[in-house]
Amino acid sequence: MASILPASNRSMRPDKNTYERKRSVYVKNPYLEGMDEDILYHLDLGTKTHNLPAMFGDVKFVCVGGSPNRMKAFAQFMHKELRLEGDGEDIEDICAGTDRYCMFKTGPVLSVSHGMGIPSISIMLHELIKLLHHARCCDVTIIRIGTSGGIGIAPGSIVITDTAVDSFFKPRFEQVILDNVVTRSTELDKELANDLFNCSREIPNAPTLIGHTMCTYDFYEGQGRLDGALCSFSREKKLDYLKRAYRAGVRNIEMESTVFAAMCGLCGLRGAQRPEIRVSEERQKVERLWKNDGMILVSSTGGRPG
Ligand SMILES: O=P(O)(O)O[C@H]1O[C@H](CO)[C@@H](O)[C@H]1O
Ligand SMILES: O=c1cc[nH]c(=O)[nH]1
């Protein structure tokens, strides 16, 4: 199985990787140093109430996804894969004190839910990145495992994101700060994407590809759906948009990838995104409608853990 461990964890052969400097998780906020206590409000954790280095200092992989049940199931899957003690059924939700997100730790793997959309994952990432920083974690790889809607690919495909793009197919995330807009890069770790792609070769029945992921602010109108409470465009407009997205390299659509890539990139987290496509029955009807256009949008319904 291809290795996705950070270089410093690879075998101890004396090569350049063994001597690579550790990559810390850093924050870019001059005010944090001067704070007497940092309360990670939405995670129900804090620097005075919890010994974060003792609790999280050994974390090397963080896997995030929108739904709590999926991330719990993923944590139980990792418990088994890492052959940890017990059956992992009663795994503890570290964030049980808040009903905003859930968080599970299985050895060096942290599994965290983030809800839906850019605002929700952004709040979680601010506090997760501070948590990892306070815990003095280094060489951390973070992977988002989510569902998404595919464009022009087979139902059940897995898309590994090389670049997250916005609704205009641009590789950028526009962060509104006070009454200004700051544009941030959304490049993801290409080597990690290739490592994940190589891992997928060893998993049967998991058609996998690397492509651009488009991140929208909305599930309905923003993704060209005709069945929301509001719809102001024609089917032809929708298909034209999706065809232009495909020609721009977009292979799937979801709602967190741009801010995920931007924040992880700014804070020293090696990031990747691996949504997967699940097609539901009603969407199959829609696919048949569109096949004559040579374009099918496969919609996801709930991804499998892991
Ligand atoms: O399956 P998750 O990780 O929630 O991701 C996708 O699913 C949600 C919409 O159905 C959005 O959060 C989108 O990004
Ligand atoms: O944002 C999303 C998530 C899953 N499936 C979609 O079609 N869009």
Side-chain angles (χ1 to χ4, degrees):
M1 164 89 70
S3 162
I4 55 173
L5 289 174
S8 58
N9 282 30
R10 286 190 181 139
S11 66
M12 294 314 289
R13 64 182 187 283
D15 63 9
K16 72 170 180 58
N17 289 336
T18 311
Y19 303 107
E20 204 164 62
R21 225 164 51 78
K22 286 190 178 305
R23 188 186 67 244
S24 301
V25 176
Y26 43 87
V27 289
K28 295 191 163 183
N29 175 354
Y31 302 108
L32 287 182
E33 279 303 303
M35 282 167 50
D36 178 45
E37 177 181 20
D38 189 0
I39 297 174
L40 308 178
Y41 173 70
H42 296 88
L43 300 180
D44 194 31
L45 293 168
T47 52
K48 279 207 166 165
T49 51
H50 297 84
N51 182 345
L52 298 180
M55 291 175 71
F56 300 101
D58 65 334
V59 168
K60 293 298 177 190
F61 292 91
V62 180
C63 295
V64 301
S67 80
N69 289 344
R70 181 195 321 146
M71 298 324 290
K72 179 173 183 178
F74 177 75
Q76 290 169 329
F77 170 71
M78 288 315 299
H79 186 100
K80 292 186 176 67
E81 288 295 296
L82 295 171
R83 298 186 178 81
L84 300 179
E85 260 179 60
D87 61 7
E89 283 313 303
D90 55 352
I91 190 168
E92 179 207 359
D93 175 2
I94 298 168
C95 297
T98 160
D99 60 358
R100 293 293 188 185
Y101 306 110
C102 67
M103 179 187 287
F104 306 94
K105 187 171 183 294
T106 47
V109 180
L110 206 55
S111 178
V112 193
S113 73
H114 56 62
M116 293 195 286
I118 285 171
S120 184
I121 193 175
S122 166
I123 293 169
M124 189 281 281
L125 284 175
H126 272 281
E127 297 182 18
L128 172 68
I129 290 168
K130 290 199 293 177
L131 181 157
L132 297 170
H133 174 72
H134 291 314
R136 298 194 282 279
C137 295
C138 60
D139 296 325
V140 178
T141 294
I142 184 167
I143 298 172
R144 177 171 127 69
I145 305 172
T147 58
S148 64
I151 302 186
I153 57 179
S157 302
I158 292 170
V159 178
I160 297 173
T161 305
D162 57 2
T163 302
V165 298
D166 65 11
S167 303
F168 306 92
F169 320 140
K170 303 282 187 197
R172 68 187 176 195
F173 174 66
E174 294 181 315
Q175 175 68 56
V176 177
I177 299 175
L178 305 182
D179 56 351
N180 297 306
V181 177
V182 171
T183 300
R184 291 172 170 160
S185 163
T186 57
E187 285 303 310
L188 287 161
D189 188 301
K190 299 287 188 291
E191 183 187 356
L192 178 56
N194 286 320
D195 284 351
L196 288 171
F197 183 73
N198 292 333
C199 290
S200 71
R201 292 178 196 275
E202 297 165 26
I203 304 171
N205 307 319
T208 304
L209 61 129
I210 294 181
H212 294 0
T213 294
M214 179 164 76
C215 178
T216 65
Y217 283 94
D218 165 60
F219 184 81
Y220 285 95
E221 294 177 288
Q223 297 189 14
R225 280 188 166 81
L226 302 174
D227 59 351
L230 305 171
C231 185
S232 54
F233 49 83
S234 66
R235 185 185 299 275
E236 291 68 30
K237 273 267 186 208
K238 166 202 181 107
L239 284 175
D240 170 68
Y241 177 69
L242 294 180
K243 286 175 182 171
R244 285 186 286 115
Y246 186 86
R247 283 196 289 273
V250 174
R251 294 296 177 267
N252 69 327
I253 308 174
E254 46 78 86
M255 298 172 66
E256 291 86 24
S257 58
T258 49
V259 70
F260 171 82
M263 291 184 72
C264 296
L266 282 169
C267 297
L269 284 162
R270 195 172 177 242
Q273 161 140 326
R274 195 199 68 99
E276 60 183 304
I277 313 295
R278 274 280 167 265
V279 64
S280 52
E281 293 61 44
E282 67 270 16
R283 282 292 171 187
Q284 281 164 354
K285 285 198 289 296
V286 176
E287 281 170 27
R288 277 195 291 279
L289 285 173
W290 289 349
K291 272 189 178 150
N292 53 17
D293 289 277
M295 165 72 65
I296 54 171
L297 163 61
V298 287
S299 160
S300 59
T301 55
R304 274 178 294 112

